[in-house]
Amino acid sequence: MAMISLQPPLKWFAVSQVPSYNPKSVAVCCSLSLPSRTVVTAVEPAPVFASVKAFAPATVANLGPGFDFLGCAVDGLGDFVSLSVDSNVRPGEVAITNITGNDPNKLSKNPLYNCAGIAAIEVMKMLGIRSVGLSLSLEKGLPLGSGLGSSAASAAAAAIAVNGLFGGKLGVEDLVLAGLKSEEKVSGYHADNVAPAIMGGFILIRNYEPLELIRLKFPVEKELFFVLVSPEFEAPTKKMRAALPAEVGMPHHVWNCSQAGALVAAVLQGDVIGLGKALSSDKIVEPTRVPLIPGMGGVKKAAIAAGAFGCTISGAGPTAVAVTDNKERGKEIGESMVMAFMREGNLKAVASVKRLDRVGARLIGSTPIDRV
């Protein structure tokens, strides 16, 4: 069986439609020792804002047969990062001063062990920031281990915030690489969450060495709704990845390749029925993870029976994701899935119906320097 080396450099393509908790704030110096792929900006940029606030959306990774190479962003859920120039933080350093929202006591304030901190440090390295210190506040809108790209959302929001604070000098490829550095330390070197979190929409990871990303444009005139049902159960990414098979038989390899191709075609054509069918067809990863999430098998059956075009595990789980083209039907599908989680797995769950986020991480607020 062929093995894949996941290391990065980044090329970016666009495809159009075709027929542990530390209660104290810890500051970490941003040294300028960088990987060879990263180029520090020639002149250290000055901050253009005194503070900024950024948002990054939740993501659905894998999308069934697209393990580690397909993902998309969903609207209305995500993490927030507020970033300020802070004279109390030593120049060239970043300090995490506050964490609120979901599971704040489970997250470290040491930037070396926090997704937002790691990404912020990487962007500061890329920009060569050494004259000012920054304080960072993280608001977790996403629960940990939910399968909705919680770590990626924190990293993406932090990367966008640091870059925005200094005038947006870095391109999307650098920001994805900064987010990937965070993902690598927390859950593994995979871009199917952080790339769509930063870029929005559907993203295909064409290659990891060097990293190449392809934006898949879902037609704006087509309706697409994601039914996201999250049970009260945590599925850590590292644990779920450890359950994957070491080898894959050729028939399943061929099948999954064909379904991933069909899924990409469905996205580009705006074929929600075809997208759902392909999304439900994984024969490699999903079968090994379903037994680890109580009731998931029954939840998938309930979603299809209620009219969903397809259903699978979102990322590493435990959130289940179904697709439809009608919001009201999506609500009915969600209710059926919630009941199935209780009936089949004895788990309480909550459902939401969300559209595709086509924008990705963005600044949502800023304070000019002259107001400070």
Side-chain angles (χ1 to χ4, degrees):
M1 183 186 73
M3 302 300 292
I4 300 175
S5 174
L6 304 184
Q7 288 292 329
L10 185 149
K11 296 182 180 179
W12 180 60
F13 302 81
V15 175
S16 299
Q17 181 179 352
V18 295
S20 61
Y21 180 56
N22 182 345
K24 295 183 179 180
S25 172
V26 180
V28 175
C29 182
C30 287
S31 66
L32 300 182
S33 57
L34 300 177
S36 60
R37 69 179 184 269
T38 305
V39 178
V40 178
T41 52
V43 178
E44 177 186 356
V48 298
F49 300 109
S51 66
V52 296
K53 186 173 184 178
F55 168 81
T59 48
V60 174
N62 301 338
L63 296 169
F67 178 72
D68 274 8
F69 65 88
L70 284 171
C72 67
V74 294
D75 186 46
L77 299 170
D79 286 1
F80 300 84
V81 164
S82 296
L83 192 74
S84 303
V85 176
D86 192 338
S87 61
N88 294 316
V89 179
R90 291 178 58 184
E93 298 184 356
V94 58
I96 297 179
T97 57
N98 194 35
I99 302 175
T100 60
N102 283 293
D103 304 316
N105 292 344
K106 293 183 179 181
L107 296 173
S108 174
K109 286 186 177 179
N110 184 332
L112 291 177
Y113 301 101
N114 181 288
C115 302
I118 297 168
I121 290 168
E122 288 302 308
V123 175
M124 290 181 76
K125 287 179 179 179
M126 293 175 180
L127 291 171
I129 303 303
R130 52 192 177 272
S131 297
V132 299
L134 305 177
S135 62
L136 184 154
S137 177
L138 171 62
E139 180 184 341
K140 290 295 300 177
L142 297 173
L144 306 180
S146 61
L148 293 172
S150 177
S151 62
S154 295
I160 289 290
V162 175
N163 191 44
L165 189 75
F166 292 95
K169 303 295 183 181
L170 300 178
V172 66
E173 58 276 0
D174 290 316
L175 300 178
V176 172
L177 286 172
L180 263 175
K181 178 64 69 172
S182 174
E183 290 285 81
E184 181 179 22
K185 291 186 179 181
V186 175
S187 60
Y189 195 85
H190 52 90
D192 49 345
N193 286 117
V194 73
I198 289 175
M199 300 166 64
F202 287 90
I203 302 296
L204 166 66
I205 318 304
R206 179 180 180 180
N207 188 27
Y208 275 94
E209 189 180 1
L211 186 65
E212 299 175 359
L213 306 176
I214 301 176
R215 187 192 299 274
L216 306 175
K217 296 183 179 180
F218 187 85
V220 295
E221 68 274 12
K222 298 285 186 175
E223 291 280 23
L224 171 61
F225 294 93
F226 299 92
V227 184
L228 304 169
V229 181
S230 301
E232 292 183 351
F233 183 81
E234 188 171 336
T237 300
K238 288 185 178 180
K239 177 181 177 180
M240 301 302 281
R241 292 180 79 87
L244 301 179
E247 296 182 355
V248 176
M250 184 59 72
H252 283 174
H253 165 70
V254 172
W255 171 262
N256 264 42
C257 286
S258 68
Q259 297 310 302
L263 193 151
V264 169
V267 169
L268 295 177
Q269 296 168 357
D271 177 8
V272 185
I273 296 177
L275 192 162
K277 184 177 180 180
L279 179 123
S280 292
S281 300
D282 174 29
K283 289 186 177 182
I284 297 175
V285 176
E286 184 183 304
T288 68
R289 288 178 166 176
V290 164
L292 302 180
I293 304 172
M296 181 60 76
V299 170
K300 181 173 182 175
K301 292 178 181 178
I304 302 301
F309 298 140
C311 179
T312 190
I313 302 170
S314 176
T319 295
V321 56
V323 293
T324 182
D325 60 358
N326 182 279
K327 186 174 183 178
E328 292 306 313
R329 187 185 302 122
K331 294 178 180 179
E332 297 172 0
I333 293 168
E335 292 173 359
S336 296
M337 294 169 70
V338 167
M339 289 189 292
F341 259 125
M342 177 56 70
R343 182 178 64 251
E344 303 288 341
N346 196 31
L347 292 176
K348 293 181 181 179
V350 294
S352 59
V353 182
K354 301 296 180 182
R355 294 179 182 271
L356 180 71
D357 185 310
R358 298 175 183 270
V359 179
R362 60 268 198 185
L363 293 184
I364 59 172
S366 61
T367 303
I369 291 177
D370 59 7
R371 291 185 183 178
V372 176

